[in-house]
């Protein structure tokens, strides 16, 4: 006969892998069925290649800097928070369709609350073009 019996009473040295393979195949089928097959498209408006260079900006960018002490300067002139928001609103009111770029440069140890107030003032003044400059 081709069967070997373990009648000697010793430990079996063979591992039965059939139940393990059965469980793994069942798990594989479950994961394949439950995995989402439908992808969700995201619409992006990508820029198109052109041969003509873009027109230069009509207005010079506004350079707003914040130092480590929390002092805010608008194109080199020191302003306070109330004056900053008013100045931003005046800039937007000049030409609401084409607001200039606001370039914010801050020191590495700038207090977060000052930075957050500057961003809030820009949002309240409807400044749409904001860039961050790394020093």
């Amino acid at each position: 006969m081709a069967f070997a019996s373990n009648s000697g009473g010793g430990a079996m040295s063979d591992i039965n892998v059939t139940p393990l393979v059965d469980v793994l195949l069942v798990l594989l089928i479950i994961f394949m069925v439950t995995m989402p097959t439908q992808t969700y498209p995201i619409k992006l408006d990508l820029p198109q290649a052109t041969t003509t260079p873009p027109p230069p900006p009509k207005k010079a960018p506004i350079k707003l800097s914040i130092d480590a002490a929390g002092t805010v300067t608008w194109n080199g002139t020191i302003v306070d928070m109330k004056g900053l928001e008013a100045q931003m609103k005046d800039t937007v009111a000049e030409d609401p369709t084409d607001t200039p770029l606001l370039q914010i440069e801050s020191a590495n140890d700038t207090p977060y609350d000052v930075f957050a107030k500057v961003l809030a003032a820009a949002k309240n003044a409807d400044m749409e073009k904001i860039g961050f400059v790394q020093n």
Side-chain angles (χ1 to χ4, degrees), residues 59-62 91-92 95 98-102 127-130:
K59 296 180 181 180
I62 300 166
T91 303
V92 172
D95 189 6
D98 186 31
T99 58
L101 173 67
L102 178 65
M127 301 271 316
E128 295 177 351
K129 302 175 188 174
I130 301 174

Side-chain angles (χ1 to χ4, degrees), residues 101-119:
L101 173 67
L102 178 65
Q103 294 178 341
I104 300 175
E105 179 180 3
S106 65
N108 289 338
D109 49 354
T110 299
Y112 178 74
D113 62 335
V114 175
F115 194 78
K117 288 177 185 177
V118 168
L119 289 178

Side-chain angles (χ1 to χ4, degrees), residues 24-63:
L24 289 176
L25 286 174
V26 168
L27 286 174
L28 179 67
I29 291 171
I30 289 173
F31 286 135
M32 287 173 51
V33 169
T34 59
M35 187 171 41
T37 58
Q38 182 181 9
T39 58
Y40 301 100
I42 298 173
K43 186 176 187 229
L44 294 176
D45 295 327
L46 297 175
Q48 301 298 321
T50 61
T51 57
T52 59
K58 295 178 184 176
K59 296 180 181 180
I62 300 166
K63 294 183 175 148

Side-chain angles (χ1 to χ4, degrees), residues 37-89:
T37 58
Q38 182 181 9
T39 58
Y40 301 100
I42 298 173
K43 186 176 187 229
L44 294 176
D45 295 327
L46 297 175
Q48 301 298 321
T50 61
T51 57
T52 59
K58 295 178 184 176
K59 296 180 181 180
I62 300 166
K63 294 183 175 148
L64 190 131
S65 62
I66 310 168
D67 64 0
T71 306
V72 180
T73 59
W74 176 281
N75 286 334
T77 307
I78 297 176
V79 293
D80 61 343
M81 282 300 160
K82 292 179 184 177
L84 177 67
E85 188 169 345
Q87 197 160 7
M88 287 180 179
K89 286 182 180 180

